[in-house]
Amino acid sequence: MSVIHSAVNDVPLDKIPALVFPALVETLIMVGIVMVIVIVVGVPLGALVHNLAPGGLIENRAAHSTVSWVVSIGRSLPFLILMASIMPFTRLITGTNIGIAAAVVPMSLAGVAFFTRIVENSLRSVPPSLVRVARASGASKLQVVRTAQLSEAVPQILGGLTINTIAMIEYSAIAGTIGAGGIGYVAVTYGYQRFDNTVMLVTIVILVVTVALVQLLGDAAVRLTTPYARRSSKRMRRAAPVSSEPVLAA
Amino acid sequence: MISLDKLTKVFGHGPHATVVLEDLNFSVAEREIFAIVGPSGAGKSTLAQCINLLERPTSGSVIVNGENLSHLNEEQLRIARRRIGTIFQSDGLFSRRTAAQNVALPLEYLGATKGEAKHRVAELLERVGLSSRANHFPHELSGGQRQRVGIARALALRPSVLLADEATSGLDPESTASIVALLKELRDDLGLAILFITHEMDTVLKVADSVARLDHGHIVESGALVSLLRDPTSLLGQALRPTSTPAVLPAGKDQWQLVYANAHVPADWLSTLSLTVGSPISLLGASIETINGAVVGQATIGLNATDDSTIINAALDLGLVAERISEQRPLLAPAPVLEIVA
Ligand SMILES: Nc1ncnc2c1ncn2[C@@H]1O[C@H](COP(=O)(O)OP(=O)(O)O)[C@@H](O)[C@H]1O
Ligand SMILES: [Mg+2]
C-alpha cells in the first residue's frame, strides 16, 4: 500500500530539508519555551513539596497533601488526554487551540508536574544532616534550601532534567497531532497520513539524533557538576606529593 | 561560658510522649573541655541539638554568655547561634564545595563580602593546618582532614562555645589524636568552652577537663576528670580507667586492686608496701599515666594475706585505695557497657 502511494505523493528529496529544518526549529523553540517554564516553576515547586513534607523546613501536612495531590493528577493523565481536556483553558490563555502557543500550555503543565517530582526526589537524596549543618551555621530557610538542598542535588536534578527534556520532545510530537507544528507535525502529516516513507525516515533520524544529543549534553552536565566524577582532576595529582599536614590519615 | 538550667526535652504528646532529656543542669566554663559520655540512645545527640537550638527544649534554658537562648524567636536564634560553633559527626561537608568554600559557608550566610570571606577562610584553614588543601573537594581529603575542615567552619564566626557531637567517632586513632590536640590548642588559644559529646571512653581521657555521664536522659555522674579517676567508688571513674586483663594470680596469694587516690602516691610505693606488710608482692597488672598533669592509675597485685586491714591502711598511707578481689568475682569486671557505637 504505502509503497504505491509513496511513489506518487512523496516530497522530492531536494525539498525535504526545506520541510524538515523549519519544523526542527519549531520543535526546539517549543521544547525550549516549555523547559524554561518547567525549570522556573518546577524547581521552587519541588523544593516546596519537599519541605512541606514531614521533617521538612516548613512541615505542613495539609498543604503537603494538597500540593502533592495536584502534582499527582498532572503526572497521572496521559499527555494526549491532558492536552484534550484542557483545551478550553489553553484557549483562554493563548486565544487559540493550534500552533506552538497552544502546545506550550499542556506541555508545560505536564512538564512541571514531572519535574516537580524529579526535584523532590533529588532533594530527598541529599543527606538531611546538611540541613542541620546549614541551620547551625546561621542560614535562613531560603539559604538552607539554596545551599544545603538544591545546590547539593544539582547533579541529580540535571540528570532528571535530561529525562524531562526528552519526554518533552516526545510530547511535542504528540502535540504535533493537534497541529502544533514541529517535527512531530511533519511526521504525522507527511509520514503517517501521506505514507511518505522518506519523510518518516528523516524525521525519525532527526528525533533520534536530537534525543541522543540531549542525553549526551545532560550526561556531560551531570559529570561536570559532580566533583568526584571529574576524573581528570589536576588537583588529585597536586595532592599526591608531600603533605605539610601534621597527621595524615589513610 | 555555656550553662544548662533544668533542660528537659520530650518528644511526642500525651500517651506517646517520651522524655529524652530530663532536668539537665551543668555548665562549661571558658577554657574548659567538658565531655558528655553515654551509651547509644542516651540522648546525647538530642542534647547537642537542644544546645544549638535546632531542637527547642520542652522546658528549661540554654544560657550562653549570660544570654538565655531558649526564648528567642527564629530570627533572633539565627543570630544567637553564631555564638556556638558546631562540629558534626562524619564532618557534614557539602560535597560540591571545596574545603575553602565549605569553611566560607557561615560567612556567606552572614552576608560577608567575597574579600572579607576569602581573608578569613585563609586564616581558618591555616589555623587547622590545611592551607595546602583549600581547593580540594571533600572526597579528596582523608577523614581527619575533613573533620579539620568542619572545625574551621565551626570557628568561622568566632564563636565562644564549640559543640562537638561524636566529632572523632569513626576516625582512626591517629586522626583522633590530631583532632583532640587541635581542640585543646583552640581551647587554649581562643579561650573556647568546648562541649565534647562522645561514646568513646578512651577519647574522653585524652581530651576532657570534666566529664558527665548521660544515661536515659539523666546525668548520673559528673565531675573533674582527675577526681573521678582518683575516686575508687566512682562508677564513671572505673569505666574511664583503662583496664586490661591482669596476669594469673600465683597460688596461695590474694588478689588486690589499688587505685591512685591522690596526688601524693610515691613512685616506689610497691617496694614500700611490700616492706610494710612484710610480704613479697606480685605485680599482675598496672596502668599509670599522667592526665591533665596529674598522675592517675590503678594496679592489680597479689600478696600473702596477713590481715586485710593492715594492707588497706598501709596502702592508704601511700595514697592508694586497696580492695581485695574475691575469687568468685570475675577479675576486673568489664566496665559498665558504655562503648556502644551511637
Ligand atoms: N525526633 C525524635 N522523635 C522522637 N524520639 C526521638 C527523636 N530524636 C531522638 N529520639 C529518641 O531519643 C533517644 C535519644 O536519641 P539520641 O539523642 O540520638 O541518642 P544518642 O545520640 O545518645 O545515641 C532515642 O531513644 C531516640 O529514639
Ligand atoms: Mg548520637
Side-chain angles (χ1 to χ4, degrees), chain A residues 132-135 138-140 143 147-148 151-152 154-155 225 227-228 230 233 235-236 239 244-245 247-249, chain B residues 49 54 78 81 88 92-96 106 109 129 132 135-137 139-140 142 145 148 153 172 174-175 178:
Chain A
R132 286 199 290 278
V133 170
R135 288 180 62 211
S140 67
Q143 286 172 325
T147 60
S151 168
E152 281 294 301
V154 159
T225 51
Y228 48 83
R230 285 187 295 227
S233 184
R235 213 171 278 115
M236 290 296 273
S244 61
E245 222 228 333
V247 173
L248 190 61
Chain B
Q49 298 201 33
L54 293 181
R78 211 153 77 74
R81 271 197 203 112
F88 293 83
L93 297 187
F94 288 34
S95 68
R96 298 188 56 246
Y109 294 145
S132 62
N135 295 320
H136 287 229
F137 283 94
H139 75 277
E140 298 168 325
S142 71
Q145 291 173 329
R148 281 162 181 273
R153 180 174 61 191
D172 58 282
E174 250 179 305
S175 304
S178 91

Side-chain angles (χ1 to χ4, degrees), chain B residues 11 18 20 39-46 55 342:
Chain B
F11 282 115
T18 17
V20 176
S40 176
K44 302 184 301 294
S45 293
T46 307
E55 285 284 353

Side-chain angles (χ1 to χ4, degrees), chain A:
Chain A
M1 241 327 232
S2 65
V3 179
I4 299 163
H5 267 92
S6 59
V8 185
N9 292 328
D10 274 8
V11 177
L13 269 183
D14 59 328
K15 295 269 169 58
I16 286 183
L19 175 71
V20 167
F21 280 109
L24 177 61
V25 171
E26 273 175 9
T27 295
L28 294 182
I29 291 175
M30 198 160 29
V31 174
I33 295 172
V34 169
M35 288 319 291
V36 168
I37 295 172
V38 162
I39 294 170
V40 168
V41 182
V43 170
L45 204 55
L48 182 71
V49 177
H50 178 70
N51 284 298
L52 284 173
L57 289 170
I58 43 168
E59 191 174 331
N60 185 323
R61 196 173 288 257
H64 179 253
S65 358
T66 311
V67 181
S68 193
W69 195 70
V70 170
V71 171
S72 289
I73 291 180
R75 283 285 297 128
S76 53
L77 287 186
F79 182 65
L80 199 60
I81 294 169
L82 175 79
M83 193 168 63
S85 61
I86 63 157
M87 284 276 190
F89 174 70
T90 305
R91 181 159 343 109
L92 189 77
I93 292 185
T94 62
T96 174
N97 270 344
I98 54 163
I100 292 186
V104 162
V105 176
M107 280 172 72
S108 298
L109 278 180
V112 165
F114 192 172
F115 199 51
T116 300
R117 286 286 180 236
I118 284 177
V119 171
E120 188 195 0
N121 240 318
S122 308
L123 295 185
R124 211 176 291 150
S125 70
V126 174
S129 59
L130 295 186
V131 169
R132 286 199 290 278
V133 170
R135 288 180 62 211
S137 305
S140 67
K141 287 195 169 129
L142 265 177
Q143 286 172 325
V144 172
V145 173
R146 195 167 51 74
T147 60
Q149 296 183 340
L150 289 174
S151 168
E152 281 294 301
V154 159
Q156 285 96 316
I157 294 177
L158 284 177
L161 189 66
T162 310
I163 297 174
N164 204 323
T165 309
I166 291 169
M168 289 306 114
I169 294 174
E170 193 185 309
Y171 287 9
S172 82
I174 300 176
T177 59
I178 60 154
I183 279 289
Y185 178 73
V186 170
V188 167
T189 50
Y190 291 80
Y192 180 70
Q193 288 168 354
R194 294 193 204 166
F195 305 100
D196 187 331
N197 287 333
T198 320
V199 173
M200 191 58 132
L201 203 68
V202 170
T203 54
I204 288 172
V205 169
I206 288 182
L207 281 174
V208 168
V209 170
T210 312
V211 167
L213 276 178
V214 169
Q215 189 65 53
L216 270 173
L217 265 168
D219 290 347
V222 171
R223 229 175 308 114
L224 270 174
T225 51
T226 313
Y228 48 83
R230 285 187 295 227
R231 280 271 164 261
S232 64
S233 184
K234 286 159 256 155
R235 213 171 278 115
M236 290 296 273
R237 261 173 278 129
R238 257 197 291 125
V242 275
S243 139
S244 61
E245 222 228 333
V247 173
L248 190 61

